[in-house]
Amino acid sequence: MKRTIRIAAVSSVLFLAIGAMSCSSLSSVALSAVADSLSGTNKKGVPMKKRSEGSDPLAAITGERDITLVSDFFPTALVLYELLHAQNPDHLGLSAMTGQLNIMYANVFVQTPAERLPVDQFNAQQAEYERAQLHYLRGRDYCLEFLEGRHTGIRAALFSGDDDTVQAAVALLDENDVSAAYWAGAGWLGAFSLDPLNGDMMAVLNGPVQLLERAAALSPDYDAGAIWELLFNFYVSAPDMFGGDYDRGMTCYAEALRASGGKTPGPYITYATAICMPQNDSAGFEEMLNTALAINADDEPSSRLVTLIQQERARYLLLHKDNYFVIW
C-alpha cells in the first residue's frame, strides 16, 4: 500500500510540473526545481545528495512488486518526463533520466512482450520491434545529450567509428557520467539487437561498447553489475568481426556475478540464453534459469521490480524450453 501511494505521489509531482509550465513568472524556477527532484541531479548533471532512501526519483517504481501497476503507470510517467524535458531542454539530468525511461520502456514493456507473440502474429511483432527500436534510439540520444553537455564533441567521436577517436573521447568521462554512459550504451545495443544487419549501426558498434567498458572501469559495481551483464551479452553474442570476444565475455560474466553477489537473476538468464541456447545445452539452460528463480526478490528491495520481471522471463523461457533446443 505504501509503495502504491509513493507511485501516486510521483505522478502528482509530474502533473504539478506540467501545471507549472503555464505560470510564466515562476515556470523557469519551478521547472528547474522539479527537474532536479525528478532526475536526481542538478542542471549540469551532477548528482544531488540524497536526503533519505526515499529521495531516489525512481525508488517508488524500482521497488514495486506489482508489475501490472507499473506497466499501466509507466507510459504516463514517460510522456510527462518528455513534456517536462521539452520545457527544460538544457537540464542535463532531466535529459539522462528521460533517456533512461525510454530505454526501460522499450525493453520491458515493448520488446519483451513482443518476443512472446505467436508466429501467426509476425506483423504485429515486427511493428512492436519497430516501436522498441524507436524508444531505444530516442533514449540513447537523450543520454548522449547529457554526455555532450558535459564533454563537447563526444557524440561525434562516438559516431566516428574510429577506435582511437572513440577511446580518446570516452577517456574524458568521470564517475558522474557513468549512469548516462550505461543507458546510452544499453539503448544503442538494444536497437542494434533488433536490426543486426543495419550497416550504419555495425560501422559504429565500437562507440557503445567503449562507452560501457569505460563506465565499468569507473564504477565496477554499478547497479549490481548491470554494465558487466550487458557487456557479457554483447561479447558472447556478436560475431568476432563485429567485436565479439568469447573470453572477454566470460570475464564480464564473472564480474557480473561478483558485483551482484549472485543476488540478481540477470547474469544467469543471460548465460542461459547467450551460452546454453547456442550450445544446445538444455540441462545448463534449466539449471541457470532455476538458479535465477531461486533468488528472493525481497533481499534487495530497491531492485525488487527488476528481479520480478526477470524471473517472469525465466519462467516463460522454461515453459517454452522445447522451442529452443534440438532433441537428437
Side-chain angles (χ1 to χ4, degrees):
M1 180 66 176
K2 283 184 178 179
R3 200 162 295 277
T4 303
I5 293 173
R6 287 175 63 188
I7 289 181
V10 172
S11 181
S12 297
V13 171
L14 287 166
F15 279 112
L16 286 172
I18 302 306
M21 295 176 189
S22 63
C23 302
S24 59
S25 61
L26 296 176
S27 62
S28 178
V29 174
L31 287 174
S32 183
V34 171
D36 289 353
S37 176
L38 292 178
S39 67
T41 73
N42 64 21
K43 186 173 182 178
K44 295 182 178 180
V46 177
M48 300 173 63
K49 290 183 179 180
K50 294 181 179 180
R51 293 186 296 273
S52 66
E53 182 181 352
S55 62
D56 183 339
L58 288 182
I61 294 176
T62 59
E64 179 57 58
R65 64 165 45 257
D66 186 342
I67 298 174
T68 301
L69 173 66
V70 176
S71 176
D72 291 343
F73 168 74
F74 210 96
T76 300
L78 178 57
V79 169
L80 291 174
Y81 265 91
E82 292 272 6
L83 290 171
L84 186 58
H85 176 269
Q87 293 294 317
N88 203 350
D90 295 328
H91 194 289
L92 298 184
L94 191 58
S95 295
M97 185 61 74
T98 306
Q100 177 179 337
L101 291 174
N102 269 281
I103 294 161
M104 291 171 65
Y105 177 69
N107 181 262
V108 177
F109 301 116
V110 185
Q111 180 179 348
T112 296
E115 290 173 342
R116 300 174 187 176
L117 291 175
V119 176
D120 60 0
Q121 294 189 39
F122 175 81
N123 290 336
Q125 183 183 66
Q126 292 305 304
E128 287 302 282
Y129 283 165
E130 289 179 8
R131 287 187 62 233
Q133 187 175 56
L134 180 151
H135 286 284
Y136 275 135
L137 293 177
R138 181 182 295 173
R140 175 203 67 182
D141 289 343
Y142 279 132
C143 290
L144 290 181
E145 279 183 18
F146 174 99
L147 297 175
E148 182 71 19
R150 288 175 48 80
H151 307 282
T152 303
I154 191 171
R155 180 186 173 91
L158 291 170
F159 278 94
S160 70
D162 179 75
D163 285 336
D164 291 340
T165 302
V166 171
Q167 289 179 14
V170 300
L172 300 175
L173 301 182
D174 60 40
E175 291 184 356
N176 290 333
D177 302 312
V178 169
S179 183
Y182 165 70
W183 285 103
W188 208 328
L189 293 181
F192 175 70
S193 73
L194 295 174
D195 191 10
L197 299 181
N198 186 311
D200 291 337
M201 285 196 189
M202 287 182 193
V204 296
L205 273 181
N206 57 346
V209 174
Q210 289 306 313
L211 262 183
L212 292 167
E213 286 282 9
R214 176 60 175 164
L218 287 167
S219 184
D221 296 332
Y222 175 81
D223 199 12
I227 305 172
W228 295 116
E229 183 186 334
L230 189 53
L231 285 169
F232 163 51
N233 195 9
F234 171 78
Y235 281 126
V236 300
S237 302
D240 292 349
M241 67 178 67
F242 298 132
D245 184 335
Y246 185 86
D247 290 340
R248 177 60 179 161
M250 296 310 296
T251 297
C252 293
Y253 172 65
E255 284 295 301
L257 290 181
R258 178 201 59 75
S260 68
K263 295 181 179 180
T264 61
Y268 303 112
I269 297 172
T270 300
Y271 192 100
T273 56
I275 300 293
C276 297
M277 284 173 61
Q279 294 180 359
N280 202 41
D281 180 4
S282 176
F285 182 83
E286 282 193 43
E287 179 183 357
M288 285 292 164
L289 294 179
N290 283 321
T291 301
L293 289 171
I295 293 169
N296 185 348
D298 293 328
D299 285 347
E300 297 292 337
S302 64
S303 59
R304 185 184 290 114
L305 179 70
V306 174
T307 297
L308 292 173
I309 289 172
Q310 290 176 331
Q311 289 179 329
E312 185 181 72
R313 185 182 181 219
R315 291 188 188 90
Y316 177 87
L317 290 168
L318 280 173
L319 184 63
H320 296 83
K321 186 187 73 169
D322 292 345
N323 296 339
Y324 311 125
F325 296 93
V326 176
I327 308 299
W328 298 101

